[in-house]
Amino acid sequence: MRGFNHLPLILLFLLLFALLPFLPLGVWRAFLLDVGFFVLLFTALALSWDLVARTGQLSLAHGAFFGLGAYGAGLLAPQVGTLPALLLGALVAGAGALTLGSVTLRLHGLYFAIASLAFSEVLRTLALKLPFTGGPIGLPVPPPFAGTWPLAAYYLSFGVLLLATALSLWAEASPFRLAQAATRQSETVARVLGVRVVWVKLWSLLLGSWVAGLAGGVYGMKTLFLSPYDAFSLGRAVEALVIPIFGGLYTTLGPLVGGAVLVSLEQALRLWIKEGYLVVYGAILILVILFLPRGLVGILGRRRG
Amino acid sequence: MRKVVGFLVLIAGLAWAQIPLKVGVILPLSGASAVSGKAALNGIQLAADEVNAAGKVRLELIVVDDGTDPAKAVPAFTKLMTVDKVDIVIGGLASGVTFALSGPVKQYGPLFLVIGAASSVVEQAFEGYPLFFHYHPWDYHNVAAALQFFQYLNREHGAKKVAILYEDGPFGSAGIGVYKQQLEKLGYQVQAEPFKAGSGQFTAILTRFRAFAPDILYWIGYDVDALPIATQARQVGLRPKLIYGAPPSWPIGFEKNPLSNDIAGMTAWLPTVANPQSRRFVEAYRKKYGEVTEEYMAPMGYTIVNSLALAAEKAGSADKNRIAEALAGLKMPTPFGLLSFKPSDTGRTKYQGFGPEIWFQFQYLQGSRRPVFPKNVATRPLRYPGEYYLR
């Protein structure tokens, strides 16, 4: 079945991260679990961006969905508990996606990108001004399950990635992939072929926003604090798109490999090079983008879809 | 041969008498707060060299970069605690990042010596944590120090109107409501408007301020805003009697620009501060780095390491609890004045180092920053009105 070509590798990846807390990592265990947490979280965010990118839409709103989920979950967690808060946060992000999509999805390429960026700015401004968000001072967030389970944040992050992977695999293996690919390659032709282009784009955006919202919710519970500039940062949106480009666009394995390599690489470089590590990090990014236009996954064979 | 053996025994004895301290340092060496972070690290390393040369305490610094980002800071801190196995951590510069570290700090329980993190949200986060030593004043101390200056301007110079231009991020917007209220209580008319952080576009707001005709133009933002505000105020014909800024750091070389003349601001330290510890720090810094810094985070880092070494010496031990006990009772002269710890004003944290007394006002006069208020630290009289009004 299409999309499942790399299934053994994907399952191996997930298995490795599922078992990470139980591996004999010695003194590095806690550090690697922290790094693992952010690998899982940003990889999930990247997969959610890739889901939208498969329709040809360059979304810069993933920072906004991430922030909506983070604030939604952060505000609701003290009242309703961890899991309901995360789910409601994802729904808030979904509502944001519907709002954005209904207004802007008829725009193409860069126009949509600019509109999605403006959407992020509007939400950041709202988070700064609204009375219940904590404004510019920020919002304290309780840890998951009131801190009773040390591995809670890690496995919540793993759960978000699992969901993102499942959605991505489904999108790759189902006819939905064809609709996405047709929309990406030529909307006009896709319409002639009977593809409901706006519907495909809206669903992709909605699925992506749910995952991004969940990722944001878990992020807030790990960092215990949210501020508008952090939660709605353009940096998150850029991270979400760099990882799939680095790993391989329009695939499930690409963002998984890209996330694991990029996030770990950045952490490792910061340990080895105290100052100016970003120069090396940037150079590696540029080299990969220049010489591996299909990303790291391109090495494994011809790109599909 | 006997002499050689004797010498070796002496060296071994000296090493044995030293108190070895492994100290984690977590600072923003990249990201938005990197300038302050690097300045702090320079001060920390300078003090560590001096302490090691003195021979009573042997400091081993393990430095990690928090990236001014919680996602980078949390793993970096965890590494310090579990891989490097440090018991003492110096860090906590940016408030948001420090808040994110509150969970891991409580989990691992180090002696945490905090260099920055002025937001009182951080004070709430560390409430009840017994090994939290906060050196930097809290945000309400900053407000108190600035208000004292405004009270003086109102009383001595008859200033009545303040136009506040504040950036819409946490730095500029936190406490703006309190500022307004307090200024009005002092008898000021206040008009406040936010601007988008880093936008560099102020003409619309400054034009509106012109109709208000303020005595004081007060901007709360970052170093990148200083020059555009000075330029655009002139362009729109705004003539306040005092331009007063409160960025965390000022643009490098700003003093060389004629537009900086008579602009005032607040800081905790300048190289021209005349106390002996400050002079000693400036000389040592120049000797090690070949330049003079104006970033107050450098002497703050220097102060933290010196106080830690002195506390370890007094405790006669590398045990974090005994060091904390000694630190709590410490009274030490520093470039900022006397350091001693007492409970914070709200009572949330037990060990607060400096308060509003370390802040003072300066003015750019003839190409350098000169303390002008309060009177006990002033080296020059305040020029009021400034040349931007007189032109």
mmCIF file with all atom_site columns, all heavy atoms in Angstrom, chain A residues 236-250:
data_model
loop_
_atom_site.group_PDB
_atom_site.id
_atom_site.type_symbol
_atom_site.label_atom_id
_atom_site.label_alt_id
_atom_site.label_comp_id
_atom_site.label_asym_id
_atom_site.label_entity_id
_atom_site.label_seq_id
_atom_site.pdbx_PDB_ins_code
_atom_site.Cartn_x
_atom_site.Cartn_y
_atom_site.Cartn_z
_atom_site.occupancy
_atom_site.B_iso_or_equiv
_atom_site.pdbx_formal_charge
_atom_site.auth_seq_id
_atom_site.auth_comp_id
_atom_site.auth_asym_id
_atom_site.auth_atom_id
_atom_site.pdbx_PDB_model_num
ATOM 1   N N   . ARG A 1 236 ? 8.623  29.270 16.027 1.00 0.00 ? 236 ARG A N   1
ATOM 2   C CA  . ARG A 1 236 ? 7.962  27.956 16.049 1.00 0.00 ? 236 ARG A CA  1
ATOM 3   C C   . ARG A 1 236 ? 7.480  27.589 14.641 1.00 0.00 ? 236 ARG A C   1
ATOM 4   O O   . ARG A 1 236 ? 7.604  26.449 14.202 1.00 0.00 ? 236 ARG A O   1
ATOM 5   C CB  . ARG A 1 236 ? 6.771  27.966 17.000 1.00 0.00 ? 236 ARG A CB  1
ATOM 6   C CG  . ARG A 1 236 ? 7.142  28.196 18.433 1.00 0.00 ? 236 ARG A CG  1
ATOM 7   C CD  . ARG A 1 236 ? 7.614  26.940 19.159 1.00 0.00 ? 236 ARG A CD  1
ATOM 8   N NE  . ARG A 1 236 ? 8.170  27.341 20.457 1.00 0.00 ? 236 ARG A NE  1
ATOM 9   C CZ  . ARG A 1 236 ? 9.457  27.350 20.756 1.00 0.00 ? 236 ARG A CZ  1
ATOM 10  N NH1 . ARG A 1 236 ? 10.361 26.956 19.881 1.00 0.00 ? 236 ARG A NH1 1
ATOM 11  N NH2 . ARG A 1 236 ? 9.881  27.727 21.952 1.00 0.00 ? 236 ARG A NH2 1
ATOM 12  N N   . ALA A 1 237 ? 6.902  28.579 13.957 1.00 0.00 ? 237 ALA A N   1
ATOM 13  C CA  . ALA A 1 237 ? 6.417  28.327 12.597 1.00 0.00 ? 237 ALA A CA  1
ATOM 14  C C   . ALA A 1 237 ? 7.575  27.956 11.680 1.00 0.00 ? 237 ALA A C   1
ATOM 15  O O   . ALA A 1 237 ? 7.455  27.060 10.839 1.00 0.00 ? 237 ALA A O   1
ATOM 16  C CB  . ALA A 1 237 ? 5.682  29.561 12.070 1.00 0.00 ? 237 ALA A CB  1
ATOM 17  N N   . VAL A 1 238 ? 8.693  28.641 11.865 1.00 0.00 ? 238 VAL A N   1
ATOM 18  C CA  . VAL A 1 238 ? 9.874  28.356 11.030 1.00 0.00 ? 238 VAL A CA  1
ATOM 19  C C   . VAL A 1 238 ? 10.419 26.962 11.342 1.00 0.00 ? 238 VAL A C   1
ATOM 20  O O   . VAL A 1 238 ? 10.761 26.196 10.432 1.00 0.00 ? 238 VAL A O   1
ATOM 21  C CB  . VAL A 1 238 ? 10.955 29.448 11.228 1.00 0.00 ? 238 VAL A CB  1
ATOM 22  C CG1 . VAL A 1 238 ? 12.264 29.063 10.553 1.00 0.00 ? 238 VAL A CG1 1
ATOM 23  C CG2 . VAL A 1 238 ? 10.460 30.782 10.682 1.00 0.00 ? 238 VAL A CG2 1
ATOM 24  N N   . GLU A 1 239 ? 10.479 26.613 12.648 1.00 0.00 ? 239 GLU A N   1
ATOM 25  C CA  . GLU A 1 239 ? 10.911 25.263 13.042 1.00 0.00 ? 239 GLU A CA  1
ATOM 26  C C   . GLU A 1 239 ? 10.030 24.209 12.374 1.00 0.00 ? 239 GLU A C   1
ATOM 27  O O   . GLU A 1 239 ? 10.511 23.193 11.880 1.00 0.00 ? 239 GLU A O   1
ATOM 28  C CB  . GLU A 1 239 ? 10.782 25.097 14.564 1.00 0.00 ? 239 GLU A CB  1
ATOM 29  C CG  . GLU A 1 239 ? 12.119 25.157 15.287 1.00 0.00 ? 239 GLU A CG  1
ATOM 30  C CD  . GLU A 1 239 ? 11.956 25.383 16.775 1.00 0.00 ? 239 GLU A CD  1
ATOM 31  O OE1 . GLU A 1 239 ? 10.825 25.564 17.261 1.00 0.00 ? 239 GLU A OE1 1
ATOM 32  O OE2 . GLU A 1 239 ? 12.990 25.398 17.465 1.00 0.00 ? 239 GLU A OE2 1
ATOM 33  N N   . ALA A 1 240 ? 8.717  24.494 12.354 1.00 0.00 ? 240 ALA A N   1
ATOM 34  C CA  . ALA A 1 240 ? 7.765  23.536 11.792 1.00 0.00 ? 240 ALA A CA  1
ATOM 35  C C   . ALA A 1 240 ? 7.996  23.296 10.310 1.00 0.00 ? 240 ALA A C   1
ATOM 36  O O   . ALA A 1 240 ? 7.743  22.200 9.811  1.00 0.00 ? 240 ALA A O   1
ATOM 37  C CB  . ALA A 1 240 ? 6.341  24.045 12.024 1.00 0.00 ? 240 ALA A CB  1
ATOM 38  N N   . LEU A 1 241 ? 8.495  24.288 9.591  1.00 0.00 ? 241 LEU A N   1
ATOM 39  C CA  . LEU A 1 241 ? 8.702  24.076 8.146  1.00 0.00 ? 241 LEU A CA  1
ATOM 40  C C   . LEU A 1 241 ? 10.129 23.665 7.792  1.00 0.00 ? 241 LEU A C   1
ATOM 41  O O   . LEU A 1 241 ? 10.360 22.999 6.788  1.00 0.00 ? 241 LEU A O   1
ATOM 42  C CB  . LEU A 1 241 ? 8.257  25.303 7.342  1.00 0.00 ? 241 LEU A CB  1
ATOM 43  C CG  . LEU A 1 241 ? 9.007  26.624 7.465  1.00 0.00 ? 241 LEU A CG  1
ATOM 44  C CD1 . LEU A 1 241 ? 10.096 26.712 6.402  1.00 0.00 ? 241 LEU A CD1 1
ATOM 45  C CD2 . LEU A 1 241 ? 8.040  27.780 7.257  1.00 0.00 ? 241 LEU A CD2 1
ATOM 46  N N   . VAL A 1 242 ? 11.088 24.037 8.643  1.00 0.00 ? 242 VAL A N   1
ATOM 47  C CA  . VAL A 1 242 ? 12.488 23.666 8.358  1.00 0.00 ? 242 VAL A CA  1
ATOM 48  C C   . VAL A 1 242 ? 12.674 22.152 8.482  1.00 0.00 ? 242 VAL A C   1
ATOM 49  O O   . VAL A 1 242 ? 13.353 21.524 7.662  1.00 0.00 ? 242 VAL A O   1
ATOM 50  C CB  . VAL A 1 242 ? 13.457 24.424 9.300  1.00 0.00 ? 242 VAL A CB  1
ATOM 51  C CG1 . VAL A 1 242 ? 14.849 23.812 9.287  1.00 0.00 ? 242 VAL A CG1 1
ATOM 52  C CG2 . VAL A 1 242 ? 13.559 25.887 8.883  1.00 0.00 ? 242 VAL A CG2 1
ATOM 53  N N   . ILE A 1 243 ? 12.046 21.558 9.498  1.00 0.00 ? 243 ILE A N   1
ATOM 54  C CA  . ILE A 1 243 ? 12.240 20.120 9.756  1.00 0.00 ? 243 ILE A CA  1
ATOM 55  C C   . ILE A 1 243 ? 11.792 19.263 8.561  1.00 0.00 ? 243 ILE A C   1
ATOM 56  O O   . ILE A 1 243 ? 12.558 18.413 8.099  1.00 0.00 ? 243 ILE A O   1
ATOM 57  C CB  . ILE A 1 243 ? 11.538 19.701 11.082 1.00 0.00 ? 243 ILE A CB  1
ATOM 58  C CG1 . ILE A 1 243 ? 12.338 20.274 12.269 1.00 0.00 ? 243 ILE A CG1 1
ATOM 59  C CG2 . ILE A 1 243 ? 11.413 18.196 11.199 1.00 0.00 ? 243 ILE A CG2 1
ATOM 60  C CD1 . ILE A 1 243 ? 11.648 20.129 13.616 1.00 0.00 ? 243 ILE A CD1 1
ATOM 61  N N   . PRO A 1 244 ? 10.586 19.461 8.010  1.00 0.00 ? 244 PRO A N   1
ATOM 62  C CA  . PRO A 1 244 ? 10.214 18.655 6.835  1.00 0.00 ? 244 PRO A CA  1
ATOM 63  C C   . PRO A 1 244 ? 11.099 18.932 5.615  1.00 0.00 ? 244 PRO A C   1
ATOM 64  O O   . PRO A 1 244 ? 11.405 18.005 4.858  1.00 0.00 ? 244 PRO A O   1
ATOM 65  C CB  . PRO A 1 244 ? 8.769  19.081 6.550  1.00 0.00 ? 244 PRO A CB  1
ATOM 66  C CG  . PRO A 1 244 ? 8.297  19.727 7.777  1.00 0.00 ? 244 PRO A CG  1
ATOM 67  C CD  . PRO A 1 244 ? 9.479  20.305 8.459  1.00 0.00 ? 244 PRO A CD  1
ATOM 68  N N   . ILE A 1 245 ? 11.496 20.195 5.423  1.00 0.00 ? 245 ILE A N   1
ATOM 69  C CA  . ILE A 1 245 ? 12.368 20.505 4.282  1.00 0.00 ? 245 ILE A CA  1
ATOM 70  C C   . ILE A 1 245 ? 13.697 19.770 4.447  1.00 0.00 ? 245 ILE A C   1
ATOM 71  O O   . ILE A 1 245 ? 14.237 19.205 3.495  1.00 0.00 ? 245 ILE A O   1
ATOM 72  C CB  . ILE A 1 245 ? 12.586 22.041 4.161  1.00 0.00 ? 245 ILE A CB  1
ATOM 73  C CG1 . ILE A 1 245 ? 11.277 22.721 3.749  1.00 0.00 ? 245 ILE A CG1 1
ATOM 74  C CG2 . ILE A 1 245 ? 13.697 22.368 3.154  1.00 0.00 ? 245 ILE A CG2 1
ATOM 75  C CD1 . ILE A 1 245 ? 11.292 24.236 3.869  1.00 0.00 ? 245 ILE A CD1 1
ATOM 76  N N   . PHE A 1 246 ? 14.201 19.739 5.658  1.00 0.00 ? 246 PHE A N   1
ATOM 77  C CA  . PHE A 1 246 ? 15.467 19.075 5.966  1.00 0.00 ? 246 PHE A CA  1
ATOM 78  C C   . PHE A 1 246 ? 15.328 17.552 5.822  1.00 0.00 ? 246 PHE A C   1
ATOM 79  O O   . PHE A 1 246 ? 16.198 16.878 5.286  1.00 0.00 ? 246 PHE A O   1
ATOM 80  C CB  . PHE A 1 246 ? 15.882 19.434 7.395  1.00 0.00 ? 246 PHE A CB  1
ATOM 81  C CG  . PHE A 1 246 ? 17.228 18.924 7.804  1.00 0.00 ? 246 PHE A CG  1
ATOM 82  C CD1 . PHE A 1 246 ? 18.392 19.620 7.482  1.00 0.00 ? 246 PHE A CD1 1
ATOM 83  C CD2 . PHE A 1 246 ? 17.352 17.759 8.558  1.00 0.00 ? 246 PHE A CD2 1
ATOM 84  C CE1 . PHE A 1 246 ? 19.636 19.160 7.876  1.00 0.00 ? 246 PHE A CE1 1
ATOM 85  C CE2 . PHE A 1 246 ? 18.599 17.295 8.960  1.00 0.00 ? 246 PHE A CE2 1
ATOM 86  C CZ  . PHE A 1 246 ? 19.734 17.994 8.620  1.00 0.00 ? 246 PHE A CZ  1
ATOM 87  N N   . GLY A 1 247 ? 14.212 17.025 6.309  1.00 0.00 ? 247 GLY A N   1
ATOM 88  C CA  . GLY A 1 247 ? 14.030 15.564 6.302  1.00 0.00 ? 247 GLY A CA  1
ATOM 89  C C   . GLY A 1 247 ? 13.473 15.030 5.003  1.00 0.00 ? 247 GLY A C   1
ATOM 90  O O   . GLY A 1 247 ? 13.846 13.940 4.557  1.00 0.00 ? 247 GLY A O   1
ATOM 91  N N   . GLY A 1 248 ? 12.583 15.774 4.393  1.00 0.00 ? 248 GLY A N   1
ATOM 92  C CA  . GLY A 1 248 ? 11.945 15.319 3.156  1.00 0.00 ? 248 GLY A CA  1
ATOM 93  C C   . GLY A 1 248 ? 10.478 15.667 3.169  1.00 0.00 ? 248 GLY A C   1
ATOM 94  O O   . GLY A 1 248 ? 9.728  15.205 4.034  1.00 0.00 ? 248 GLY A O   1
ATOM 95  N N   . LEU A 1 249 ? 10.069 16.505 2.211  1.00 0.00 ? 249 LEU A N   1
ATOM 96  C CA  . LEU A 1 249 ? 8.688  16.996 2.169  1.00 0.00 ? 249 LEU A CA  1
ATOM 97  C C   . LEU A 1 249 ? 7.703  15.920 1.708  1.00 0.00 ? 249 LEU A C   1
ATOM 98  O O   . LEU A 1 249 ? 8.073  14.984 0.998  1.00 0.00 ? 249 LEU A O   1
ATOM 99  C CB  . LEU A 1 249 ? 8.601  18.184 1.214  1.00 0.00 ? 249 LEU A CB  1
ATOM 100 C CG  . LEU A 1 249 ? 9.087  19.541 1.754  1.00 0.00 ? 249 LEU A CG  1
ATOM 101 C CD1 . LEU A 1 249 ? 9.264  20.523 0.608  1.00 0.00 ? 249 LEU A CD1 1
ATOM 102 C CD2 . LEU A 1 249 ? 8.112  20.101 2.781  1.00 0.00 ? 249 LEU A CD2 1
ATOM 103 N N   . TYR A 1 250 ? 6.446  16.104 2.105  1.00 0.00 ? 250 TYR A N   1
ATOM 104 C CA  . TYR A 1 250 ? 5.300  15.315 1.645  1.00 0.00 ? 250 TYR A CA  1
ATOM 105 C C   . TYR A 1 250 ? 5.434  13.823 1.968  1.00 0.00 ? 250 TYR A C   1
ATOM 106 O O   . TYR A 1 250 ? 4.939  12.967 1.228  1.00 0.00 ? 250 TYR A O   1
ATOM 107 C CB  . TYR A 1 250 ? 5.062  15.492 0.125  1.00 0.00 ? 250 TYR A CB  1
ATOM 108 C CG  . TYR A 1 250 ? 5.208  16.907 -0.364 1.00 0.00 ? 250 TYR A CG  1
ATOM 109 C CD1 . TYR A 1 250 ? 5.905  17.200 -1.536 1.00 0.00 ? 250 TYR A CD1 1
ATOM 110 C CD2 . TYR A 1 250 ? 4.668  17.971 0.357  1.00 0.00 ? 250 TYR A CD2 1
ATOM 111 C CE1 . TYR A 1 250 ? 6.057  18.505 -1.977 1.00 0.00 ? 250 TYR A CE1 1
ATOM 112 C CE2 . TYR A 1 250 ? 4.825  19.281 -0.071 1.00 0.00 ? 250 TYR A CE2 1
ATOM 113 C CZ  . TYR A 1 250 ? 5.528  19.535 -1.238 1.00 0.00 ? 250 TYR A CZ  1
ATOM 114 O OH  . TYR A 1 250 ? 5.693  20.828 -1.665 1.00 0.00 ? 250 TYR A OH  1
#
